[in-house]
Amino acid sequence: MKFIILTLFPESFDYLKSYGVIGKAIQNNLIELEVVNIRDYTKNKHKKVDDEIYGGGAGMLMTCQPIYDCLEDVNKNQSKVVFMSPQGKILNQQKCIELSKEKEIVILCGHYEGVDSRIINHYCDEEISIGDYVMTGGELGAMVLIDCVSRMINDVLGNDESYKTDSHYNLLLQEDSYTRPRVFNGYEVPEVLLSGNHEKIEQWREKSRLNNTKLKREDIYQKYLKEKNQGGS
């Protein structure tokens, strides 16, 4: 999997290259990160990449020319182009699984008041948001997307099956988990987890997943019940 990030702040992504699991995945050539500075493509002699908004409005808008030329140069494989945007669909686990099947993803990071809509409407395949709020740029959102998608790629986590127990992978939240000591400040590890009875442990985990989802995310719990009832009808 290759990620090509188009940004005005390429140094922002230095963190990922040395960060835990993702850094190791890059070092082991399981994923590739190419960071491209949009400013290198501007034809403005002052390296300007933004301008005033037609019709008036606060702030400045990133202009078409440098972004278009950048896309034309880097997207040789006609790969999926994603724009990080608060107007996009919310990134979730299913979207991460879907994106992990791509061979290459180009991620456009906006800044200032955003990007000229002609770029978004005609040269981007999809807008993705990491939440219903607005940040100062798309770089942090791009890092979140790269991290979440990379975990779905073979060998990145070492154990290819481990992500399948994560919250949201199969809709429900993850079950409660415990490690040593058996008793901490009077709170004990559930006895069933020490029993060695794998069938009973799995039954406990399934119940814990349901309880956690119901208590913490009622919306997901109701969706789960709806899908379960439809499957049984």
Side-chain angles (χ1 to χ4, degrees):
M1 161 72 80
K2 181 177 182 179
F3 298 97
I4 304 176
I5 303 104
L6 313 186
T7 174
L8 295 176
F9 300 95
E11 64 279 2
S12 302
F13 293 88
D14 291 345
Y15 169 73
L16 278 183
K17 297 174 183 177
S18 58
Y19 163 67
V21 170
I22 305 303
K24 288 179 182 178
I26 294 171
Q27 293 169 17
N28 293 331
N29 298 315
L30 298 173
I31 61 175
E32 183 179 352
L33 213 63
E34 179 181 350
V35 185
V36 183
N37 192 338
I38 297 171
R39 200 178 296 277
D40 291 342
Y41 290 84
T42 182
K43 295 178 181 178
N44 183 281
K45 65 179 180 180
H46 302 296
K47 293 294 183 180
K48 189 177 179 182
V49 294
D50 60 337
D51 212 329
E52 296 176 352
I53 301 172
Y54 277 127
M60 305 286 275
L61 201 66
M62 290 178 67
T63 59
C64 292
Q65 177 270 313
I67 300 174
Y68 175 80
D69 287 354
C70 186
L71 280 169
E72 285 289 288
D73 187 38
V74 304
N75 193 16
K76 304 298 185 185
N77 299 320
Q78 298 300 303
S79 303
K80 178 183 281 291
V81 178
V82 171
F83 175 53
M84 303 308 300
S85 163
Q87 297 186 25
K89 292 182 179 178
I90 299 295
L91 181 67
N92 59 26
Q93 197 77 339
Q94 291 307 307
K95 173 56 67 175
C96 290
I97 295 170
E98 176 188 322
L99 290 175
S100 72
K101 302 182 189 310
E102 300 283 341
K103 292 183 178 180
E104 185 175 283
I105 301 174
V106 179
I107 308 173
L108 172 60
C109 301
H111 223 77
Y112 309 121
E113 288 301 310
V115 170
D116 189 301
S117 291
R118 288 168 289 188
I119 292 293
I120 301 169
N121 295 339
H122 301 292
Y123 301 105
C124 294
D125 299 309
E126 188 171 5
E127 293 181 66
I128 293 179
S129 170
I130 62 168
D132 290 333
Y133 45 83
V134 179
M135 298 190 296
T136 54
E139 286 76 19
L140 287 175
M143 291 184 207
V144 170
L145 186 147
I146 292 166
D147 186 293
C148 295
V149 172
S150 295
R151 298 180 77 259
M152 303 292 106
I153 297 170
N154 286 344
D155 297 326
V156 167
L157 294 180
N159 178 354
D160 292 344
E161 298 296 316
S162 61
Y163 63 82
K164 294 183 179 180
T165 62
D166 288 343
S167 294
H168 304 293
Y169 184 83
N170 289 312
L171 194 59
L172 296 176
L173 302 185
Q174 193 173 36
E175 71 275 2
D176 286 349
S177 299
Y178 302 88
T179 187
R180 294 179 178 85
R182 290 180 59 173
V183 181
F184 178 75
N185 285 349
Y187 299 107
E188 297 185 24
V189 174
E191 191 66 30
V192 65
L193 298 179
L194 310 172
S195 68
N197 188 319
H198 297 295
E199 182 178 351
K200 288 186 177 180
I201 290 172
E202 184 50 42
Q203 290 173 354
W204 180 91
R205 285 176 172 165
E206 178 63 22
K207 185 177 180 180
S208 180
R209 287 191 283 268
L210 287 168
N211 287 339
N212 279 343
T213 307
K214 185 176 182 180
L215 288 172
K216 300 176 183 180
R217 289 292 301 272
E218 178 69 22
D219 57 325
I220 297 177
Y221 182 71
Q222 292 301 326
K223 183 178 180 181
Y224 167 80
L225 292 181
K226 183 178 180 180
E227 291 186 5
K228 184 177 181 181
N229 290 334
Q230 288 176 344
S233 59

